[in-house]
Amino acid sequence: MSTLAWFASASLAVWVWLLLGQGFFWRTDQRLPAVRRGADGGRAPGVPEEWPAVVVVVPARDEAGVLPLSLPSLLSQDYPGRAEVVLVDDGSTDGTGHLAVGLAARHGGLPLTVASPGDPAPGWTGKLWALRHGMALARARGPEFLLLTDADIAHEPDSLRRLVAAARDDGRDLVSQMARLRVAGAWERLVVPAFVYFFAQLYPFRRINAARPRATAAAGGCVLLRTETAVAAGVPEAIRGALIDDVSLARAVRAAGGRIWLGLADRVDSVRPYPGLGELWGMVARSAYAQLRYSPALLLGTVAGLVLVYLVPPVACGAGLASGDAAAAWAGGAAWAVMAGTYVPMLRYYRLSPWRAPLLPFTAFLYLLMTVDSAVRHHRGRGGAWKGRLHAGGGSGAPGGGEFASRHGE
């Protein structure tokens, strides 16, 4: 066999293993169940007899553009127990805090507190500094659960009810949903579903949710956290410098003995637009190198892995057909077909045509370039820049493609 055929065969072997041996990562069936009602209108199994108190904590920095779409959805939660919202205005310059007060006065609903923590202390990222302040205010209310959600995340009216019911029913300490991201524009439709797919490939939800978990992760846009578990895990203090805070949070909770559930959301959506490639590129490049722990060796390994797994199949298929190399064409085409087939469920989740699946290698190539650019930015002293702040070095998190799925605000 030719060298190209050998590489294509290696890629095919990797894809067969990913298909069958990586926790069925490509399936999209890990979802929260609906809150059931009894046949006679009474309480159904799994529904709490008494709904526990919850405080929703929203860190927000310069979010006036999306807050009118997200905050009213939190204030209008149809939750049977005691609940309130704490929005932490993290040094906004666009009137985020005043806008939040006005939205609460206009829409009513759950009580709203707007607070400001001041500038982050040394060693803290801005979002975690805001969460520290908000969680401290929330704990003073004595809630059983905290809902940590980003300022660009809109919740359907039963969202909080479903999260709490799932946590109570299954004894989970952390229940997290990966919000359905916006896919209105052409670049969003090309890039966004792929990054959620990459995240699930790295952290298969079934392995996270299993009785004996073999992976740990969360999605920072929507995290219901048991208050006593947060205290036991020492968060957010224990992860104060993490750029990839959601995975770090999940690891801290797991280390403290907490049980975790992570799945895709049906009724939780990101309203933040990414109309062009530049916005998507900046979002990923901001901290992709942090996911690799700022390691040149891990960067090199990631680039090589992306080339072998995602780029070799279409190249081998095309070159093999052009040159008459049947082995390269067959192995490359088979690997490309398996790749595309595993991507179809995610495209359907995003209500996009499955005919987009063969374009996944192109999106993977874009991600490769974004990751390399992230490393270049870091070495030029511009890594971690976000909304006027520079958070460089020290971030803990996971290597790979989950950054876009978990980063929607500072």
Side-chain angles (χ1 to χ4, degrees), residues 372-389:
V372 171
D373 184 45
S374 179
V376 171
R377 294 186 187 197
H378 173 76
H379 288 292
R380 289 180 176 176
R382 296 186 291 111
W386 178 251
K387 292 189 177 180
R389 284 203 184 118

PDB file of all heavy atoms in Angstrom, residues 372-389:
ATOM      1  N   VAL A 372      -3.925  27.215  16.644  1.00  0.00           N
ATOM      2  CA  VAL A 372      -2.566  27.715  16.425  1.00  0.00           C
ATOM      3  C   VAL A 372      -2.519  29.221  16.681  1.00  0.00           C
ATOM      4  O   VAL A 372      -1.584  29.736  17.318  1.00  0.00           O
ATOM      5  CB  VAL A 372      -2.104  27.382  14.995  1.00  0.00           C
ATOM      6  CG1 VAL A 372      -0.782  28.082  14.684  1.00  0.00           C
ATOM      7  CG2 VAL A 372      -1.958  25.875  14.819  1.00  0.00           C
ATOM      8  N   ASP A 373      -3.533  29.947  16.227  1.00  0.00           N
ATOM      9  CA  ASP A 373      -3.589  31.382  16.465  1.00  0.00           C
ATOM     10  C   ASP A 373      -3.676  31.693  17.953  1.00  0.00           C
ATOM     11  O   ASP A 373      -3.093  32.675  18.423  1.00  0.00           O
ATOM     12  CB  ASP A 373      -4.787  31.973  15.726  1.00  0.00           C
ATOM     13  CG  ASP A 373      -4.851  33.488  15.842  1.00  0.00           C
ATOM     14  OD1 ASP A 373      -3.803  34.146  15.685  1.00  0.00           O
ATOM     15  OD2 ASP A 373      -5.949  34.028  16.094  1.00  0.00           O
ATOM     16  N   SER A 374      -4.389  30.864  18.700  1.00  0.00           N
ATOM     17  CA  SER A 374      -4.467  31.055  20.147  1.00  0.00           C
ATOM     18  C   SER A 374      -3.084  30.970  20.784  1.00  0.00           C
ATOM     19  O   SER A 374      -2.738  31.769  21.669  1.00  0.00           O
ATOM     20  CB  SER A 374      -5.396  30.002  20.754  1.00  0.00           C
ATOM     21  OG  SER A 374      -5.482  30.145  22.156  1.00  0.00           O
ATOM     22  N   ALA A 375      -2.274  30.003  20.335  1.00  0.00           N
ATOM     23  CA  ALA A 375      -0.917  29.872  20.862  1.00  0.00           C
ATOM     24  C   ALA A 375      -0.068  31.081  20.485  1.00  0.00           C
ATOM     25  O   ALA A 375       0.717  31.593  21.306  1.00  0.00           O
ATOM     26  CB  ALA A 375      -0.280  28.588  20.344  1.00  0.00           C
ATOM     27  N   VAL A 376      -0.221  31.561  19.255  1.00  0.00           N
ATOM     28  CA  VAL A 376       0.532  32.741  18.818  1.00  0.00           C
ATOM     29  C   VAL A 376       0.154  33.946  19.663  1.00  0.00           C
ATOM     30  O   VAL A 376       1.021  34.713  20.112  1.00  0.00           O
ATOM     31  CB  VAL A 376       0.270  33.008  17.323  1.00  0.00           C
ATOM     32  CG1 VAL A 376       0.875  34.352  16.908  1.00  0.00           C
ATOM     33  CG2 VAL A 376       0.844  31.880  16.467  1.00  0.00           C
ATOM     34  N   ARG A 377      -1.133  34.129  19.907  1.00  0.00           N
ATOM     35  CA  ARG A 377      -1.580  35.254  20.740  1.00  0.00           C
ATOM     36  C   ARG A 377      -0.993  35.162  22.133  1.00  0.00           C
ATOM     37  O   ARG A 377      -0.584  36.180  22.718  1.00  0.00           O
ATOM     38  CB  ARG A 377      -3.107  35.264  20.819  1.00  0.00           C
ATOM     39  CG  ARG A 377      -3.818  35.546  19.512  1.00  0.00           C
ATOM     40  CD  ARG A 377      -5.316  35.669  19.724  1.00  0.00           C
ATOM     41  NE  ARG A 377      -6.049  35.781  18.459  1.00  0.00           N
ATOM     42  CZ  ARG A 377      -7.292  36.212  18.365  1.00  0.00           C
ATOM     43  NH1 ARG A 377      -7.961  36.553  19.466  1.00  0.00           N
ATOM     44  NH2 ARG A 377      -7.887  36.290  17.183  1.00  0.00           N
ATOM     45  N   HIS A 378      -0.968  33.958  22.685  1.00  0.00           N
ATOM     46  CA  HIS A 378      -0.418  33.793  24.034  1.00  0.00           C
ATOM     47  C   HIS A 378       1.047  34.204  24.077  1.00  0.00           C
ATOM     48  O   HIS A 378       1.477  34.937  24.982  1.00  0.00           O
ATOM     49  CB  HIS A 378      -0.573  32.341  24.476  1.00  0.00           C
ATOM     50  CG  HIS A 378       0.107  32.036  25.769  1.00  0.00           C
ATOM     51  ND1 HIS A 378      -0.403  32.427  26.996  1.00  0.00           N
ATOM     52  CD2 HIS A 378       1.278  31.383  26.029  1.00  0.00           C
ATOM     53  CE1 HIS A 378       0.418  32.034  27.955  1.00  0.00           C
ATOM     54  NE2 HIS A 378       1.433  31.409  27.398  1.00  0.00           N
ATOM     55  N   HIS A 379       1.813  33.762  23.114  1.00  0.00           N
ATOM     56  CA  HIS A 379       3.248  34.063  23.121  1.00  0.00           C
ATOM     57  C   HIS A 379       3.534  35.521  22.787  1.00  0.00           C
ATOM     58  O   HIS A 379       4.625  36.014  23.077  1.00  0.00           O
ATOM     59  CB  HIS A 379       3.980  33.129  22.152  1.00  0.00           C
ATOM     60  CG  HIS A 379       4.057  31.713  22.653  1.00  0.00           C
ATOM     61  ND1 HIS A 379       4.812  31.353  23.750  1.00  0.00           N
ATOM     62  CD2 HIS A 379       3.452  30.576  22.234  1.00  0.00           C
ATOM     63  CE1 HIS A 379       4.690  30.060  23.977  1.00  0.00           C
ATOM     64  NE2 HIS A 379       3.864  29.567  23.073  1.00  0.00           N
ATOM     65  N   ARG A 380       2.542  36.206  22.218  1.00  0.00           N
ATOM     66  CA  ARG A 380       2.678  37.645  21.986  1.00  0.00           C
ATOM     67  C   ARG A 380       2.103  38.467  23.130  1.00  0.00           C
ATOM     68  O   ARG A 380       2.028  39.691  23.049  1.00  0.00           O
ATOM     69  CB  ARG A 380       1.973  38.028  20.679  1.00  0.00           C
ATOM     70  CG  ARG A 380       2.701  37.522  19.438  1.00  0.00           C
ATOM     71  CD  ARG A 380       1.966  37.930  18.172  1.00  0.00           C
ATOM     72  NE  ARG A 380       2.700  37.539  16.967  1.00  0.00           N
ATOM     73  CZ  ARG A 380       2.253  37.700  15.736  1.00  0.00           C
ATOM     74  NH1 ARG A 380       1.046  38.249  15.543  1.00  0.00           N
ATOM     75  NH2 ARG A 380       2.977  37.326  14.703  1.00  0.00           N
ATOM     76  N   GLY A 381       1.656  37.804  24.192  1.00  0.00           N
ATOM     77  CA  GLY A 381       1.132  38.491  25.357  1.00  0.00           C
ATOM     78  C   GLY A 381      -0.293  38.960  25.227  1.00  0.00           C
ATOM     79  O   GLY A 381      -0.743  39.822  25.991  1.00  0.00           O
ATOM     80  N   ARG A 382      -1.050  38.392  24.266  1.00  0.00           N
ATOM     81  CA  ARG A 382      -2.441  38.799  24.071  1.00  0.00           C
ATOM     82  C   ARG A 382      -3.419  37.664  24.331  1.00  0.00           C
ATOM     83  O   ARG A 382      -4.592  37.758  23.995  1.00  0.00           O
ATOM     84  CB  ARG A 382      -2.640  39.319  22.639  1.00  0.00           C
ATOM     85  CG  ARG A 382      -1.846  40.565  22.328  1.00  0.00           C
ATOM     86  CD  ARG A 382      -2.183  41.144  20.957  1.00  0.00           C
ATOM     87  NE  ARG A 382      -1.713  40.289  19.872  1.00  0.00           N
ATOM     88  CZ  ARG A 382      -2.509  39.609  19.063  1.00  0.00           C
ATOM     89  NH1 ARG A 382      -3.825  39.657  19.232  1.00  0.00           N
ATOM     90  NH2 ARG A 382      -2.016  38.869  18.089  1.00  0.00           N
ATOM     91  N   GLY A 383      -2.960  36.601  24.966  1.00  0.00           N
ATOM     92  CA  GLY A 383      -3.850  35.471  25.222  1.00  0.00           C
ATOM     93  C   GLY A 383      -4.865  35.783  26.309  1.00  0.00           C
ATOM     94  O   GLY A 383      -4.568  36.474  27.277  1.00  0.00           O
ATOM     95  N   GLY A 384      -6.089  35.277  26.140  1.00  0.00           N
ATOM     96  CA  GLY A 384      -7.117  35.422  27.165  1.00  0.00           C
ATOM     97  C   GLY A 384      -7.812  36.765  27.169  1.00  0.00           C
ATOM     98  O   GLY A 384      -8.583  37.050  28.091  1.00  0.00           O
ATOM     99  N   ALA A 385      -7.572  37.621  26.169  1.00  0.00           N
ATOM    100  CA  ALA A 385      -8.216  38.930  26.148  1.00  0.00           C
ATOM    101  C   ALA A 385      -9.715  38.786  25.914  1.00  0.00           C
ATOM    102  O   ALA A 385     -10.156  38.063  25.023  1.00  0.00           O
ATOM    103  CB  ALA A 385      -7.599  39.797  25.057  1.00  0.00           C
ATOM    104  N   TRP A 386     -10.499  39.490  26.743  1.00  0.00           N
ATOM    105  CA  TRP A 386     -11.958  39.420  26.609  1.00  0.00           C
ATOM    106  C   TRP A 386     -12.587  40.661  27.205  1.00  0.00           C
ATOM    107  O   TRP A 386     -12.407  40.970  28.376  1.00  0.00           O
ATOM    108  CB  TRP A 386     -12.492  38.177  27.320  1.00  0.00           C
ATOM    109  CG  TRP A 386     -13.989  38.027  27.287  1.00  0.00           C
ATOM    110  CD1 TRP A 386     -14.856  38.170  28.329  1.00  0.00           C
ATOM    111  CD2 TRP A 386     -14.792  37.729  26.145  1.00  0.00           C
ATOM    112  NE1 TRP A 386     -16.142  37.977  27.912  1.00  0.00           N
ATOM    113  CE2 TRP A 386     -16.135  37.691  26.568  1.00  0.00           C
ATOM    114  CE3 TRP A 386     -14.497  37.476  24.810  1.00  0.00           C
ATOM    115  CZ2 TRP A 386     -17.180  37.432  25.701  1.00  0.00           C
ATOM    116  CZ3 TRP A 386     -15.545  37.206  23.941  1.00  0.00           C
ATOM    117  CH2 TRP A 386     -16.863  37.186  24.397  1.00  0.00           C
ATOM    118  N   LYS A 387     -13.304  41.419  26.377  1.00  0.00           N
ATOM    119  CA  LYS A 387     -14.041  42.600  26.810  1.00  0.00           C
ATOM    120  C   LYS A 387     -13.175  43.553  27.627  1.00  0.00           C
ATOM    121  O   LYS A 387     -13.552  43.987  28.722  1.00  0.00           O
ATOM    122  CB  LYS A 387     -15.290  42.201  27.599  1.00  0.00           C
ATOM    123  CG  LYS A 387     -16.336  41.516  26.725  1.00  0.00           C
ATOM    124  CD  LYS A 387     -17.642  41.323  27.443  1.00  0.00           C
ATOM    125  CE  LYS A 387     -18.672  40.696  26.505  1.00  0.00           C
ATOM    126  NZ  LYS A 387     -19.969  40.485  27.147  1.00  0.00           N
ATOM    127  N   GLY A 388     -11.992  43.857  27.081  1.00  0.00           N
ATOM    128  CA  GLY A 388     -11.129  44.838  27.710  1.00  0.00           C
ATOM    129  C   GLY A 388     -10.254  44.307  28.812  1.00  0.00           C
ATOM    130  O   GLY A 388      -9.473  45.059  29.395  1.00  0.00           O
ATOM    131  N   ARG A 389     -10.355  43.017  29.124  1.00  0.00           N
ATOM    132  CA  ARG A 389      -9.505  42.421  30.156  1.00  0.00           C
ATOM    133  C   ARG A 389      -8.577  41.402  29.535  1.00  0.00           C
ATOM    134  O   ARG A 389      -8.923  40.741  28.564  1.00  0.00           O
ATOM    135  CB  ARG A 389     -10.337  41.731  31.232  1.00  0.00           C
ATOM    136  CG  ARG A 389     -11.019  42.672  32.212  1.00  0.00           C
ATOM    137  CD  ARG A 389     -11.313  41.932  33.504  1.00  0.00           C
ATOM    138  NE  ARG A 389     -12.041  42.772  34.428  1.00  0.00           N
ATOM    139  CZ  ARG A 389     -13.264  42.520  34.877  1.00  0.00           C
ATOM    140  NH1 ARG A 389     -13.897  41.438  34.458  1.00  0.00           N
ATOM    141  NH2 ARG A 389     -13.858  43.313  35.725  1.00  0.00           N
TER     142      ARG A 389
END
